[in-house]
Amino acid sequence: MARTIRPHGAADDDALIAEALERADRKEFTTEPPRTLQGQINYLLRKLGTARAVAAELGVTADSVNRYRRGARKNPPKAVADRIKDAVRSRWQPRVRQRARRRAAATSGVTVEFRAQFGYIAPVGTTDEMRLRLLTLHLPPEYATRLFDAQAGTTGENPNEVLAEAAQTLYFQTDSETGAARAHDLEVEITAIDYIAARY
């Protein structure tokens, strides 16, 4: 097992992993979400119920939401426009997302490409030096399930820990060419992720 002590900045890593999974979800959409400002606001109103709730989600006033809905204001600041788009996409086609995740958890797994700073604990005579590595790992269904559950907060694990254990087991303790076990005593933790992408 990878160590369960949370390294400094692991919460940031967890957020990056969640964003990568969200982007992977979006690649599964069967139709595109609304593109116009009015269409986006009307969708959020249907989902959230009131202009006040939409305003709270977006960090604007209810009056602004109603002006966007009526078309009285068509060009919100870029930061607000980005929040509107993200709020819509995060709610779009939930059943499609669920099916994609269920498939990954049951059969297909998740492929993750990430660049991170790794820390090591190894027997005396081997290195514990921090190293930056770019890895592409195919997480089998077991790890995919644990990663989804950790990201959803339904278990005691964190996404950073699950990914670190997967890297430890599937990369550092397994020969990529032969599949043979190696480095049994090596323990790995991820101390900083600076890039990550995922696909189902």
Side-chain angles (χ1 to χ4, degrees), residues 52-168:
R52 180 176 294 181
V54 174
E57 172 83 8
L58 301 177
V60 299
T61 65
D63 285 343
S64 292
V65 170
N66 285 320
R67 286 196 292 272
Y68 297 148
R69 177 182 57 81
R70 294 193 306 267
R73 186 174 181 188
K74 299 180 179 180
N75 297 299
K78 184 180 184 305
V80 174
D82 288 344
R83 287 199 294 272
I84 292 170
K85 184 181 296 184
D86 285 342
V88 170
R89 286 182 172 273
S90 68
R91 292 170 172 82
W92 189 250
Q93 292 194 323
R95 292 181 182 176
V96 170
R97 296 167 182 268
Q98 290 167 5
R99 282 198 302 270
R101 290 198 176 201
R102 282 198 300 266
R103 183 179 67 245
T107 58
S108 63
V110 177
T111 299
V112 182
E113 179 183 86
F114 65 106
R115 184 171 55 240
Q117 188 84 22
F118 286 89
Y120 310 95
I121 299 177
V124 175
T126 58
T127 181
D128 61 357
E129 178 185 357
M130 295 286 184
R131 294 183 184 178
L132 186 68
R133 289 180 182 262
L134 175 64
L135 300 185
T136 300
L137 296 176
H138 180 72
L139 309 184
E142 173 197 350
Y143 278 112
T145 299
R146 287 175 56 192
L147 190 62
F148 293 146
D149 289 345
Q151 190 248 323
T154 58
T155 64
E157 294 185 298
N158 296 285
N160 172 286
E161 295 167 352
V162 175
L163 191 58
E165 184 181 326
Q168 174 181 298

